[in-house]
Every structure is written in C-alpha cells, then in structure tokens.
Amino acid sequence: MSMFSKISHIVHKYYIPILIVALVCSAIGGYYASKLTLQSNLAELLPDNFESVKALNRIKDEVGGVGNLQIVIETKDIEKAKEFAENLAPRLLANPIVNYLDYKNDVAFYKKNGLLLLDMDEIESLHTSIRDQIDAEKQKLNPLFVDDLFGDEDEAETDDNWSSWEDEYKAKEPNEYYINADGTVLIMKILPISTNSDLNFARKFYEEVKQIVESIEPNDYAPDMKIYYSGNFKTKIDEFAVIKKDIFGTAYFGFGTVFLLIVIYFRRLTGAILITLSLMMSLTWTFGLTYGVIGNLNTITGFLFVILFGLGIDYGIHAFARYVESRSSGMSFEASIEKMVSKTGRALTTTAVTTSAAFFSLTLMDFKGFSDLGFIAGVGMLCALVAMVIVLPAFITLFEKLGLLKIKPKEGKSQGISHRAFKYSSPILLIAALITLFSIYGFSQVEFEYDFTNLRANLKDRQESAKRSRGAFKLSESPAVVLADTKEEMKEVVAAVKEIIKNDTLSATVKDVKSIYSAVPDDQPEKLLKIKAIRKLIEDEAEGVITGEDKKRLDRLKGYLQVNEPYTWDDFPENGKRKFINKKGEIGNFVFIYPSVALKDGRNAIEFRNDIGKIETKSGKTYFASSSNIIVAEMLSILIGEGRQAVILTFLVVFIIVFLDFRSFKATLFVLTPLAIGVLWMGVIMYLTGMKFNFFNIVVLPSVIGIGVDNGVHIYHRYQEEGPGSLYHVLKNTGSAISMTTLTTIAGYSGLILANHPGLNSIGNLAVIGIISTYITAMILLPALLQFFEKKLPPSSN
C-alpha cells in the first residue's frame, strides 16, 4: 500500500479526530495571526547586520525622536502668512508633545557673522579676488595701459572670481522665514517628543496639531489662506492608511471573486464551502507560524493573505474536481476518496513541494521583501497541501455520511478514454519558437524603475505640498548622517568628506558637509585676522578705484566685514543648534552630508551611497553614513543583484524537485521548458507595453516560476497516468481544473491591480501577465511537445 493510500485509509477512518485537531490548530493559529502588525518602514526590509541599518539605528538611539510634521501655509499675502505663523507658534509650543518648532531664522546673526561661517580658503579666495580686482582697475587708470588686442579673458575671469563670493554666500545665507520661490508659501516644521515609527503617537500628534491650527481660523488672516500638511509624520500616516485600505479592498475582491468562481465551476455551493473552509484553516496555520517566526508583515508581504488564498484554492479545486469526476463516473465514495488522495494527492504533493521549495529558496536572500515572502508563501503552500489532502477529504467524508454532499453518476457517459491526436503540434511549435526568439531580445530590453517616487502611494497632500514648497529650503532636507565617537574623529570625517568633494569632479554627488564646527568654527580667530586684512585693503586702496556695479557689490560686502569678535555656541541660533543636539540635550558628534543630486532617482542615490556610505578617515578608522535615501540605495543594489540570483535559484530548486518526482531528465524538460518559455513571453509583453521591473514587482519573477510549474506537473502526471493518445482527455479534465485554478490565482492577484499603491499595483499587473503566459504555454505548448515526441518518446506509465 502506497503512502497516499495509507493517508486515504486514515482519513476515511479518523475523519472526526482529524477535523477536531484542525479546528484547534486553526483557533490557536488565528489567535497569533491576529497579533501580526504591518511594518511600512523601508529600513525593516534590510537585515539588521547591514552597516547602513546599524548606523541608522545608532543615530535614532542617539537622537531620540526623528522626523517632523510640516505646516504648509499658502496665501498671496505672505505678510499675513507670517502673522499667522507668529500667532500659531506659541500655541503649538504649549502642547506637551511638541518638542521644538522651526519656522524662522535669526537673519541678524547671519548678517553679522556670515563670513565666519565660510571656510578659510573661501575667505582667502575672497581676499585674493578683491586684490586682483583693485590691481586690474588701477592698471586701467594707468595712462600707459593698452587693452589686450586678443581679448579680455583674464579680466572676465577676475570679474567672475570677484562676484562669486556673493553668490556662494547668498546660497548659504538663510532667509528669515522658510518661504517658497514665488513667495506664496510659508512652512513651519514641528518636531515632536517621539518618533514616527510609533503610528499611534504619529496620529495623535497630527490630530492635535491640526486642531490647534484650525482653532485660530486661518481664513480670518487671509480669505485665500489654505493649510496643507506634509513631512514624514504625515507621509507615514497616509501611506499606512492607503496600504490598509488596499489590503482590505483586495481581500474582499479576491475572496469574493474566488468563491464565486468555485461555485460556478462546480455548480454546487457545498463544494465551494468545503474547499474555502479547509483553505481558511490553512491560512490561520500559516500566519500563526509567521507571527512566531517573523513577528510582523511588511509592505510586500501584507497582501499575501489574499494571494495565498488564490494560490491555495488551486489545490482544493484539483482535489475536489478529481473527487467529483470519480463519483460522476460511478465510483463508490470510498474509492473516490482513495483516487482523490492517492492520485491527485501525489501530483498536489509534487506541485506543493516544488512551489514551496521555490519560495523557501528566497529565504536565503538578504532583502526581506524576498526572504519574508519566501518563508510565508513556502509555509502557506505546505499548509494548503495538508488542508487539501487531509482536511478536505475529512470534510467530504463527514458531509457524505451526513447526506449533505450528493454527487450522482452521469448516465449515458462512457467511462473510457477517447484517443485523439493533438492537432497542429508542429505549427504551434514553430510559432512558439519564433515568439520565443523575439522574447529573448525583448526581455533583455526591459528596464528597471529607479525613480522611487513613482512607486510610493499616490498621496494628494504630499504631492500638493511638495509642489508648493519648492525652493523654501536651501539645503536638502534629507542629508546622510554620520555619528562619530569623539569631536576629533568628527573633524576627521568632515575632512574626509571634503576630500571626496574636492576629488570627485566627474560625477559629483556631494554638495556640502556640516558638523558642530560648521556652526561654531574653531578657527574663528584666524578668520577674523583675514577679514580685518580685507577690510583694511578696501579702506586703503579701493576707494576711488572700484566703481559702478563693482562699487555696489563692495558696499554690500562691507556690511559683512564689520564682524570683530568670534561668537560662541550660546550665540548660535536655536533652530541651527537642534540638529546637533542628542536626546540628552548634549552636543552630539553628528556629521551631515548634503547631496548635490536629486536622490529620488535611484541611480543617483546609489552613486551617493557609493561616495559617502563608507568613509575612511586618515587615522584609518571607518565610519558608515545612513539616511532613508541610503537605505533605498542599499535595497536597490541588493534587488538588482539578488533578483537575478532568486530567478536562477528558483529554477534550480524547481528542476531538482521535478526531477526527483519523475525520475526522468526528459520528463523534467517536458515540464520545465514551457515554464521557461512562459516567463520569457511575460518579459516580451513587459517590453511591448513599456512596463518596468521595480522595487516591488521584482518578487513576481520567482513567484511566477513557483506557481507556473504546477500546471506542467499536473498535465504530465495525468498524461503518464492515462497513457499515449490521451492528451484531449487530459486537457478536458485536468486542463479544465488548471483553467479554473489559473482563474482563481489571477483573481487573488487581480485585487492588487485595483490597489491605489503604485508599487503594489505593479505586482498585480506583472503577476497576472506571468500567470497567463505560463498557463498558455502549459495548455498549448506542452501538449504540442508531447504530441510531437509521443511516437519517439512515449511516457512510461505508473
């Protein structure tokens, strides 16, 4: 007696205990599954041992609360916006969960001490430029002076150097308020006492701020005044809301559609209920184990519940279809259960083990979008197998004995197999070969989506705020941060970054670097001596020599040259101090590295990470920078490399499992060749429609391989069982079940097509394309291959 025959016997005899154990396990699994939380933080998708993640966690521990909420005030009367902000500020600060408010700068301080904030070489360059300009003007006043007959390039260079000081400083000197480029928007940044990783706190913080803003009636200040909210606190709240809405929306759509398809296919409600109930049990087991092993879901795995429902239901359809087929042909209840478990159960075991092994192979990947998905989906497939090979037959046995499931034999139907050849196999193979050749080219041309902003949730408030706020901040709001151990090492990190800025001229990604010594330079005495020398140079030699626009520029410079003494930390503006202070209120050893390129382009983010992600100082110590953009760059780099590895590994695992099942290299090639071709066809459809791989949908590739192999395994198993000449019979019965399972799988993924989140939407689109492609190759190309080789290579029967 085979293992599956033994299982059939056990199920028939002990169906009541089996159902009791299944229900108890479901109750326990459901309890723990209900405790799962959704993590939408990108850093959660990288392993904790990554240096960028360790650096980010260290920075968070040092800083305490991170992130801010921004109030975006829009009105044509910017003076009214300033008045509104000034009246709003004390009310916000009175709230105990508001730690700090940043909306204006101490312009007087920067006017007085502006030159002390420049680097020493910039001040020396300014001195040299003024000296050269004075000498040039004096030369022009010489009666013996003759213009250069060959042009005035040296003079133009002198003028450029002379004017550059003002442009360079103006780029650094802050405005009094954070006002956008066209002067219609003022921004207030609110820093709370806690972090945005606590979603409940983020919601409370946002609601309280919103109530305070509304309480002082913005339209009383200006009728056209509008208030928007942005910042990572608002983004966190909105993205979670979008994802949660998408999860429930796809779940309702997926469950409803799949259940309806089963009812239509079997034309009986009882069968649909039994299959669904068995599968729901397996899902509670799966997500109960997920809580115990992983502890949470992420942005990618949050939708696996409905996807696993669509995948797992396939096993139920195959099993129940075989039972109905056997009963309809006149077999007894016991014989039909045995046929269902021993024949279809073996094929289901092969497909489940193959699919789960393919998914489990992803757990070797560093990217948690792969590894977590691999574990949950792998466990889900095995749990679905147990549910459909053991629990479903137990339910059927119970319902048969209670008289709730009645399937009558079909009269007048022949139980034999009509042997007919599969027509047009040669033309099908020829056409498929041509399409595949083009597909190889097309797949190679599919691009990767590097602009991460195209994959974020479509949040109207964030888009509106970003558009209106353009130009309000002179430096990037997302610098990379390095946390040094001591003040001396902090200086070494700054020096190393400045060396990078100096040497990287071809593909520069770093604009500036700042530390506490940028705020309060320790070389102020030397700078004051040089400033004094510039002041004396102007007083002694410039008067009456510098004229016109240069005289006006010189007069503006004189205002900055009046500084006579260094300033201290206590003198420095409060809003400038905040980023250098840790959660203990002490000055931290922070180094801020500002990008010169737009980091929304992942390629720029990767280059920026490559330039400053790992910094080696002259003393030989290594430091690691981190930020949300560095984390994104790390993930993109991993995805590009591990995406290829995942596909290769998945194919390898699938090949080994299929080979172990059929014990035949040729049979394995029959099953896997259409699968590989189906994946290539998916690629050419991407190419023709302009679709791109991205951070989210790259996980579809190994998933399609794991899912698509089921079709070939079921067809070939049934073909072996029925023998040569049975292809039409196989396609009519097993092919019919495959068509239904494909529809249910598509229904599971189709919910994602309706998602508002672009990244998740792309998963649904690509998965549906891949599932349809592999279905077509299994239902048309595999039979054509079998028919073509049938006379030369008849399969051995079991």
Side-chain angles (χ1 to χ4, degrees):
M1 183 182 290
S2 70
M3 179 186 71
F4 291 100
S5 295
K6 291 178 181 178
I7 292 173
S8 172
H9 176 73
I10 292 170
V11 169
H12 183 262
K13 186 175 181 180
Y14 300 104
Y15 64 94
I16 295 293
I18 287 172
L19 292 177
I20 292 173
V21 170
L23 286 170
V24 171
C25 290
S26 298
I28 296 171
Y31 169 74
Y32 285 106
S34 67
K35 300 176 73 173
L36 283 169
T37 57
L38 179 67
Q39 293 287 344
S40 57
N41 188 355
L42 291 178
E44 296 290 335
L45 295 177
L46 287 177
D48 293 335
N49 62 353
F50 267 49
E51 294 295 345
S52 58
V53 176
K54 290 194 288 186
L56 186 62
N57 291 333
R58 187 166 170 244
I59 292 164
K60 286 181 178 179
D61 290 340
E62 181 76 6
V63 175
V66 294
N68 63 72
L69 178 67
Q70 296 181 7
I71 303 174
V72 181
I73 308 165
E74 182 184 34
T75 175
K76 292 180 180 178
D77 190 345
I78 201 65
E79 293 303 318
K80 290 296 182 182
K82 294 177 184 178
E83 182 184 349
F84 176 78
E86 293 293 349
N87 290 335
L88 177 62
R91 301 195 184 200
L92 290 170
L93 291 171
N95 190 299
I97 64 175
V98 174
N99 184 33
Y100 180 71
L101 186 62
D102 181 15
Y103 68 102
K104 65 187 299 186
N105 295 296
D106 186 352
V107 176
F109 171 86
Y110 292 103
K111 288 285 186 184
K112 177 183 177 182
N113 301 290
L115 292 180
L116 294 177
L117 291 168
L118 297 179
D119 291 336
M120 190 64 187
D121 58 352
E122 291 177 307
I123 298 175
E124 289 177 345
S125 176
L126 173 61
H127 182 266
T128 301
S129 298
I130 295 173
R131 173 80 272 174
D132 291 344
Q133 187 68 20
I134 291 173
D135 290 344
E137 294 298 329
K138 283 182 177 180
Q139 190 175 7
K140 291 179 182 179
L141 296 174
N142 189 333
L144 299 177
F145 173 74
V146 178
D147 282 344
D148 187 353
L149 297 176
F150 298 100
D152 56 353
E153 291 181 5
D154 291 340
E155 182 181 340
E157 184 177 347
T158 300
D159 289 342
D160 288 342
N161 290 337
W162 160 241
S163 62
S164 65
W165 77 268
E166 190 170 36
D167 295 336
E168 289 176 3
Y169 180 71
K170 285 294 182 184
K172 297 179 180 181
E173 183 182 21
N175 297 318
E176 182 179 8
Y177 293 88
Y178 298 122
I179 296 174
N180 70 345
D182 63 6
T184 60
V185 168
L186 185 151
I187 300 172
M188 304 176 76
K189 293 193 292 185
I190 314 168
L191 288 75
I193 58 174
S194 186
T195 174
N196 65 357
S197 61
D198 184 344
L199 187 64
N200 290 329
F201 173 81
R203 288 182 180 134
K204 178 183 178 183
F205 175 52
Y206 169 63
E207 289 300 328
E208 291 193 12
V209 167
K210 193 175 178 182
Q211 287 175 12
I212 294 171
V213 171
E214 291 173 352
S215 70
I216 60 173
E217 301 292 344
N219 292 124
D220 288 350
Y221 290 80
D224 68 334
M225 186 176 289
K226 295 179 181 178
I227 306 295
Y228 303 91
Y229 297 91
S230 64
N232 41 30
F233 266 81
K234 184 64 164 57
T235 299
K236 176 87 172 184
I237 295 168
D238 290 348
E239 286 195 335
F240 185 86
V242 168
I243 293 172
K244 183 178 178 181
K245 181 180 177 182
D246 284 345
I247 287 176
F248 283 103
T250 56
Y252 294 145
F253 177 85
F255 292 161
T257 304
V258 169
F259 186 82
L260 182 62
L261 287 172
I262 300 172
V263 172
I264 294 173
Y265 180 68
F266 289 112
R267 294 190 177 92
R268 48 176 54 88
L269 184 61
T270 306
I273 292 174
L274 294 182
I275 294 171
T276 302
L277 186 58
S278 301
L279 182 59
M280 292 301 290
M281 286 183 172
S282 77
L283 291 176
T284 61
W285 309 338
T286 299
F287 287 96
L289 286 170
T290 298
Y291 176 78
V293 176
I294 300 175
N296 58 60
L297 301 173
N298 57 52
T299 306
I300 293 174
T301 60
F303 292 81
L304 273 180
F305 193 87
V306 66
I307 291 172
L308 285 177
F309 186 83
L311 293 176
I313 209 79
D314 296 358
Y315 299 163
I317 291 172
H318 280 293
F320 196 73
R322 191 60 179 269
Y323 178 77
V324 171
E325 180 188 342
S326 299
R327 290 288 276 152
S328 298
S329 66
M331 285 188 182
S332 66
F333 152 65
E334 293 81 2
S336 298
I337 287 289
E338 199 277 335
K339 191 89 167 177
M340 170 187 176
V341 175
S342 64
K343 297 297 183 180
T344 305
R346 180 189 169 189
L348 289 178
T349 300
T350 299
T351 58
V353 171
T354 303
T355 305
S356 63
F359 279 123
F360 277 131
S361 68
L362 299 180
T363 60
L364 301 175
M365 304 292 128
D366 286 324
F367 177 55
K368 289 185 181 179
F370 279 145
S371 59
D372 287 2
L373 180 143
F375 174 82
I376 298 171
V379 169
M381 292 295 95
L382 294 180
C383 288
L385 173 67
V386 172
M388 298 311 170
V389 174
I390 297 177
V391 178
L392 178 59
F395 269 126
I396 291 173
T397 302
L398 175 64
F399 273 54
E400 282 274 11
K401 289 184 178 295
L402 294 175
L404 299 175
L405 181 63
K406 296 180 180 180
I407 302 172
K408 297 179 180 180
K410 293 181 180 179
E411 297 179 1
K413 295 286 184 179
S414 172
Q415 296 181 20
I417 296 174
S418 176
H419 291 271
R420 295 169 57 190
F422 185 82
K423 295 181 179 179
Y424 313 116
S425 60
S426 295
I428 288 172
L429 293 176
L430 177 61
I431 294 170
L434 295 175
I435 295 174
T436 303
L437 287 174
F438 179 63
S439 298
I440 294 171
Y441 166 77
F443 207 156
S444 67
Q445 300 302 306
V446 176
E447 299 178 354
F448 192 88
E449 176 60 81
Y450 284 98
D451 190 344
F452 195 73
T453 59
N454 291 335
L455 303 174
R456 300 177 73 178
N458 294 317
L459 305 177
K460 185 178 179 181
D461 285 355
R462 180 174 62 197
Q463 294 169 350
E464 292 291 334
S465 297
K467 183 170 64 176
R468 287 168 169 78
S469 304
R470 202 163 289 135
F473 302 101
K474 293 200 171 183
L475 284 174
S476 168
E477 287 291 284
S478 301
V481 184
V482 176
L483 179 57
D485 294 324
T486 66
K487 295 290 187 292
E488 288 304 314
E489 290 177 359
M490 182 173 61
K491 289 182 180 180
E492 289 189 10
V493 172
V494 171
V497 175
K498 286 186 176 180
E499 193 67 21
I500 292 171
I501 296 173
K502 179 181 177 182
N503 296 331
D504 191 4
T505 56
L506 295 178
S507 58
T509 63
V510 185
K511 181 178 183 180
D512 201 2
V513 57
K514 291 185 177 295
S515 70
I516 179 61
Y517 293 107
S518 305
V520 188
D522 56 1
D523 59 350
Q524 290 184 74
E526 292 85 350
K527 291 178 179 178
L528 285 168
L529 289 175
K530 181 59 67 174
I531 291 170
K532 183 178 179 181
I534 295 173
R535 192 165 58 235
K536 188 174 187 307
L537 173 65
I538 293 173
E539 291 171 354
D540 293 347
E541 301 187 41
E543 295 299 331
V545 176
I546 304 296
T547 60
E549 287 298 320
D550 290 338
K551 177 67 166 60
K552 294 178 182 178
R553 189 178 296 124
L554 197 63
D555 289 340
R556 290 194 295 271
L557 174 60
K558 287 179 181 179
Y560 295 98
L561 292 170
Q562 302 311 308
V563 59
N564 291 306
E565 59 184 10
Y567 63 88
T568 66
W569 175 253
D570 292 335
D571 300 322
F572 198 70
E574 188 65 25
N575 67 331
K577 291 179 181 179
R578 295 303 307 178
K579 61 185 176 184
F580 300 109
I581 297 176
N582 62 22
K583 64 183 179 182
K584 297 177 182 178
E586 302 169 347
I587 299 173
N589 302 318
F590 302 111
V591 177
F592 297 91
I593 306 170
Y594 294 88
S596 62
V597 293
L599 298 185
K600 72 174 186 176
D601 186 329
R603 287 164 292 199
N604 289 340
I606 291 172
E607 287 298 320
F608 184 61
R609 188 279 311 267
N610 291 343
D611 285 343
I612 54 86
K614 181 179 180 181
I615 299 170
E616 296 182 357
T617 63
K618 288 186 177 180
S619 64
K621 194 159 185 179
T622 301
Y623 284 93
F624 296 92
S626 192
S627 69
S628 60
N629 289 306
I630 296 289
I631 295 296
V632 169
E634 292 273 26
M635 286 193 296
L636 289 174
S637 298
I638 291 173
L639 274 174
I640 293 169
E642 288 196 343
R644 300 187 186 97
Q645 295 174 24
V647 172
I648 295 170
L649 185 59
T650 305
F651 252 120
L652 180 62
V653 169
V654 166
F655 180 89
I656 292 171
I657 301 296
V658 173
F659 178 77
L660 290 175
D661 178 51
F662 290 108
R663 309 294 176 104
S664 166
F665 181 74
K666 291 178 180 179
T668 303
L669 287 181
F670 272 128
V671 172
L672 295 187
T673 298
L675 173 64
I677 291 173
V679 173
L680 288 174
W681 288 9
M682 177 188 74
V684 81
I685 293 172
M686 292 181 68
Y687 169 66
L688 293 174
T689 58
M691 289 180 65
K692 297 180 180 180
F693 284 118
N694 61 51
F695 165 79
F696 289 92
N697 68 17
I698 194 86
V699 300
V700 169
L701 268 177
S703 300
V704 165
I705 295 169
I707 296 166
V709 71
D710 292 4
N711 299 335
V713 168
H714 281 296
I715 289 174
Y716 200 82
H717 260 296
R718 189 63 182 268
Y719 179 62
Q720 276 191 321
E721 181 183 336
E722 305 295 354
S726 63
L727 280 169
Y728 269 101
H729 178 78
V730 170
L731 292 177
K732 179 182 177 182
N733 292 280
T734 301
S736 175
I738 286 174
S739 298
M740 179 50 56
T741 59
T742 299
L743 281 176
T744 57
T745 304
I746 288 173
Y749 275 103
S750 291
L752 294 179
I753 296 177
L754 304 176
N756 293 311
H757 195 292
L760 299 170
N761 185 271
S762 71
I763 293 178
N765 286 324
L766 186 56
V768 169
I769 291 172
I771 292 166
I772 292 174
S773 298
T774 52
Y775 166 77
I776 291 172
T777 53
M779 290 291 289
I780 297 177
L781 184 57
L782 177 56
L785 281 170
L786 292 173
Q787 184 65 59
F788 185 79
F789 287 100
E790 190 169 88
K791 292 182 180 180
K792 301 178 181 179
L793 185 67
S796 59
S797 77
N798 273 356

